[in-house]
PDB file of all heavy atoms in Angstrom:
ATOM      1  N   LEU A 296      -5.693   2.957   7.078  1.00 98.00           N
ATOM      2  CA  LEU A 296      -7.099   3.149   6.643  1.00 98.00           C
ATOM      3  C   LEU A 296      -7.750   1.786   6.189  1.00 98.00           C
ATOM      4  O   LEU A 296      -8.857   1.546   6.752  1.00 98.00           O
ATOM      5  CB  LEU A 296      -7.202   3.982   5.342  1.00 98.00           C
ATOM      6  CG  LEU A 296      -8.394   4.227   4.611  1.00 98.00           C
ATOM      7  CD1 LEU A 296      -9.544   4.745   5.600  1.00 98.00           C
ATOM      8  CD2 LEU A 296      -8.307   5.097   3.452  1.00 98.00           C
ATOM      9  N   THR A 297      -6.912   0.883   5.706  1.00 98.00           N
ATOM     10  CA  THR A 297      -7.516  -0.319   5.349  1.00 98.00           C
ATOM     11  C   THR A 297      -7.926  -1.248   6.594  1.00 98.00           C
ATOM     12  O   THR A 297      -9.009  -1.712   6.691  1.00 98.00           O
ATOM     13  CB  THR A 297      -6.435  -1.276   4.550  1.00 98.00           C
ATOM     14  OG1 THR A 297      -6.004  -0.313   3.384  1.00 98.00           O
ATOM     15  CG2 THR A 297      -7.016  -2.522   4.077  1.00 98.00           C
ATOM     16  N   ALA A 298      -7.002  -1.206   7.599  1.00 98.00           N
ATOM     17  CA  ALA A 298      -7.334  -1.837   8.737  1.00 98.00           C
ATOM     18  C   ALA A 298      -8.469  -1.316   9.480  1.00 98.00           C
ATOM     19  O   ALA A 298      -9.321  -1.926  10.026  1.00 98.00           O
ATOM     20  CB  ALA A 298      -6.098  -1.814   9.770  1.00 98.00           C
ATOM     21  N   HIS A 299      -8.508   0.018   9.500  1.00 98.00           N
ATOM     22  CA  HIS A 299      -9.769   0.759  10.032  1.00 98.00           C
ATOM     23  C   HIS A 299     -11.055   0.228   9.372  1.00 98.00           C
ATOM     24  O   HIS A 299     -12.065   0.021   9.964  1.00 98.00           O
ATOM     25  CB  HIS A 299      -9.466   2.190  10.035  1.00 98.00           C
ATOM     26  CG  HIS A 299     -10.653   3.012  10.661  1.00 98.00           C
ATOM     27  ND1 HIS A 299     -10.930   3.075  11.977  1.00 98.00           N
ATOM     28  CD2 HIS A 299     -11.458   3.923  10.092  1.00 98.00           C
ATOM     29  CE1 HIS A 299     -11.877   3.826  12.249  1.00 98.00           C
ATOM     30  NE2 HIS A 299     -12.307   4.353  11.140  1.00 98.00           N
ATOM     31  N   THR A 300     -11.022   0.219   7.988  1.00 98.00           N
ATOM     32  CA  THR A 300     -12.119  -0.206   7.297  1.00 98.00           C
ATOM     33  C   THR A 300     -12.594  -1.690   7.567  1.00 98.00           C
ATOM     34  O   THR A 300     -13.725  -1.955   7.623  1.00 98.00           O
ATOM     35  CB  THR A 300     -11.772  -0.183   5.819  1.00 98.00           C
ATOM     36  OG1 THR A 300     -11.352   1.224   5.525  1.00 98.00           O
ATOM     37  CG2 THR A 300     -12.989  -0.458   4.900  1.00 98.00           C
ATOM     38  N   LEU A 301     -11.574  -2.431   8.043  1.00 98.00           N
ATOM     39  CA  LEU A 301     -11.809  -3.809   8.448  1.00 98.00           C
ATOM     40  C   LEU A 301     -12.529  -3.839   9.805  1.00 98.00           C
ATOM     41  O   LEU A 301     -12.802  -4.971  10.371  1.00 98.00           O
ATOM     42  CB  LEU A 301     -10.653  -4.653   8.388  1.00 98.00           C
ATOM     43  CG  LEU A 301     -10.125  -4.995   6.997  1.00 98.00           C
ATOM     44  CD1 LEU A 301      -8.781  -5.492   7.060  1.00 98.00           C
ATOM     45  CD2 LEU A 301     -10.982  -5.937   6.210  1.00 98.00           C
ATOM     46  N   GLY A 302     -12.596  -2.671  10.505  1.00 97.00           N
ATOM     47  CA  GLY A 302     -13.034  -2.649  11.832  1.00 97.00           C
ATOM     48  C   GLY A 302     -12.097  -2.806  12.978  1.00 97.00           C
ATOM     49  O   GLY A 302     -12.611  -2.877  14.133  1.00 97.00           O
ATOM     50  N   LEU A 303     -10.860  -2.716  12.642  1.00 98.00           N
ATOM     51  CA  LEU A 303      -9.788  -2.718  13.563  1.00 98.00           C
ATOM     52  C   LEU A 303      -9.498  -1.484  14.200  1.00 98.00           C
ATOM     53  O   LEU A 303      -9.611  -0.391  13.471  1.00 98.00           O
ATOM     54  CB  LEU A 303      -8.540  -3.294  13.014  1.00 98.00           C
ATOM     55  CG  LEU A 303      -8.690  -4.757  12.400  1.00 98.00           C
ATOM     56  CD1 LEU A 303      -7.406  -5.178  11.789  1.00 98.00           C
ATOM     57  CD2 LEU A 303      -9.129  -5.839  13.484  1.00 98.00           C
ATOM     58  N   LYS A 304      -9.171  -1.298  15.392  1.00 97.00           N
ATOM     59  CA  LYS A 304      -8.834   0.000  16.041  1.00 97.00           C
ATOM     60  C   LYS A 304      -7.455   0.507  15.762  1.00 97.00           C
ATOM     61  O   LYS A 304      -6.561  -0.349  15.790  1.00 97.00           O
ATOM     62  CB  LYS A 304      -9.041  -0.172  17.629  1.00 97.00           C
ATOM     63  CG  LYS A 304     -10.370  -0.492  18.180  1.00 97.00           C
ATOM     64  CD  LYS A 304     -10.440  -0.622  19.530  1.00 97.00           C
ATOM     65  CE  LYS A 304     -11.882  -0.926  20.086  1.00 97.00           C
ATOM     66  NZ  LYS A 304     -11.858  -1.177  21.583  1.00 97.00           N
ATOM     67  N   PRO A 305      -7.314   1.708  15.282  1.00 97.00           N
ATOM     68  CA  PRO A 305      -5.990   2.208  14.958  1.00 97.00           C
ATOM     69  C   PRO A 305      -4.995   2.028  16.117  1.00 97.00           C
ATOM     70  O   PRO A 305      -3.892   1.736  15.871  1.00 97.00           O
ATOM     71  CB  PRO A 305      -6.236   3.713  14.622  1.00 97.00           C
ATOM     72  CG  PRO A 305      -7.658   3.748  14.117  1.00 97.00           C
ATOM     73  CD  PRO A 305      -8.475   2.765  15.015  1.00 97.00           C
ATOM     74  N   GLU A 306      -5.460   2.203  17.213  1.00 97.00           N
ATOM     75  CA  GLU A 306      -4.557   2.015  18.620  1.00 97.00           C
ATOM     76  C   GLU A 306      -3.981   0.526  18.558  1.00 97.00           C
ATOM     77  O   GLU A 306      -2.756   0.432  19.062  1.00 97.00           O
ATOM     78  CB  GLU A 306      -5.284   2.329  19.778  1.00 97.00           C
ATOM     79  CG  GLU A 306      -5.737   3.650  19.991  1.00 97.00           C
ATOM     80  CD  GLU A 306      -7.171   3.903  19.417  1.00 97.00           C
ATOM     81  OE1 GLU A 306      -7.736   3.099  18.565  1.00 97.00           O
ATOM     82  OE2 GLU A 306      -7.787   4.964  19.620  1.00 97.00           O
ATOM     83  N   ASP A 307      -4.742  -0.414  18.092  1.00 98.00           N
ATOM     84  CA  ASP A 307      -4.223  -1.774  18.179  1.00 98.00           C
ATOM     85  C   ASP A 307      -3.376  -1.992  16.852  1.00 98.00           C
ATOM     86  O   ASP A 307      -2.564  -2.974  16.893  1.00 98.00           O
ATOM     87  CB  ASP A 307      -5.424  -2.719  17.984  1.00 98.00           C
ATOM     88  CG  ASP A 307      -6.196  -2.618  19.434  1.00 98.00           C
ATOM     89  OD1 ASP A 307      -5.745  -2.228  20.354  1.00 98.00           O
ATOM     90  OD2 ASP A 307      -7.500  -2.975  19.210  1.00 98.00           O
ATOM     91  N   VAL A 308      -3.572  -1.354  15.865  1.00 98.00           N
ATOM     92  CA  VAL A 308      -2.843  -1.571  14.532  1.00 98.00           C
ATOM     93  C   VAL A 308      -1.526  -0.887  14.601  1.00 98.00           C
ATOM     94  O   VAL A 308      -0.592  -1.468  14.053  1.00 98.00           O
ATOM     95  CB  VAL A 308      -3.816  -0.991  13.328  1.00 98.00           C
ATOM     96  CG1 VAL A 308      -2.979  -1.095  12.083  1.00 98.00           C
ATOM     97  CG2 VAL A 308      -5.026  -1.937  13.168  1.00 98.00           C
ATOM     98  N   ILE A 309      -1.396   0.246  15.035  1.00 98.00           N
ATOM     99  CA  ILE A 309      -0.195   1.023  14.936  1.00 98.00           C
ATOM    100  C   ILE A 309       1.058   0.475  15.427  1.00 98.00           C
ATOM    101  O   ILE A 309       2.010   0.457  14.806  1.00 98.00           O
ATOM    102  CB  ILE A 309      -0.402   2.586  15.629  1.00 98.00           C
ATOM    103  CG1 ILE A 309      -1.221   3.311  14.762  1.00 98.00           C
ATOM    104  CG2 ILE A 309       0.856   3.200  15.903  1.00 98.00           C
ATOM    105  CD1 ILE A 309      -1.712   4.614  15.474  1.00 98.00           C
ATOM    106  N   PRO A 310       1.054  -0.423  16.549  1.00 98.00           N
ATOM    107  CA  PRO A 310       2.276  -1.090  16.965  1.00 98.00           C
ATOM    108  C   PRO A 310       2.871  -1.917  15.926  1.00 98.00           C
ATOM    109  O   PRO A 310       4.087  -2.229  15.702  1.00 98.00           O
ATOM    110  CB  PRO A 310       1.876  -1.852  18.272  1.00 98.00           C
ATOM    111  CG  PRO A 310       0.750  -1.095  18.768  1.00 98.00           C
ATOM    112  CD  PRO A 310       0.008  -0.505  17.585  1.00 98.00           C
ATOM    113  N   HIS A 311       1.860  -2.614  15.143  1.00 98.00           N
ATOM    114  CA  HIS A 311       2.326  -3.502  13.993  1.00 98.00           C
ATOM    115  C   HIS A 311       2.872  -2.695  12.843  1.00 98.00           C
ATOM    116  O   HIS A 311       3.824  -3.211  12.116  1.00 98.00           O
ATOM    117  CB  HIS A 311       1.195  -4.472  13.793  1.00 98.00           C
ATOM    118  CG  HIS A 311       0.666  -5.201  14.852  1.00 98.00           C
ATOM    119  ND1 HIS A 311       1.518  -6.051  15.662  1.00 98.00           N
ATOM    120  CD2 HIS A 311      -0.536  -5.157  15.528  1.00 98.00           C
ATOM    121  CE1 HIS A 311       0.769  -6.573  16.614  1.00 98.00           C
ATOM    122  NE2 HIS A 311      -0.489  -5.946  16.521  1.00 98.00           N
ATOM    123  N   LEU A 312       2.268  -1.558  12.653  1.00 98.00           N
ATOM    124  CA  LEU A 312       2.831  -0.731  11.558  1.00 98.00           C
ATOM    125  C   LEU A 312       4.176  -0.173  11.907  1.00 98.00           C
ATOM    126  O   LEU A 312       5.101  -0.240  11.026  1.00 98.00           O
ATOM    127  CB  LEU A 312       2.022   0.481  11.311  1.00 98.00           C
ATOM    128  CG  LEU A 312       0.545   0.335  10.795  1.00 98.00           C
ATOM    129  CD1 LEU A 312      -0.252   1.647  10.696  1.00 98.00           C
ATOM    130  CD2 LEU A 312       0.632  -0.266   9.353  1.00 98.00           C
TER     131      LEU A 312
END
Side-chain angles (χ1 to χ4, degrees):
L296 173 59
T297 304
H299 182 66
T300 304
L301 291 169
L303 302 177
K304 295 179 180 179
E306 296 88 345
D307 296 333
V308 170
I309 284 172
H311 306 296
L312 292 176

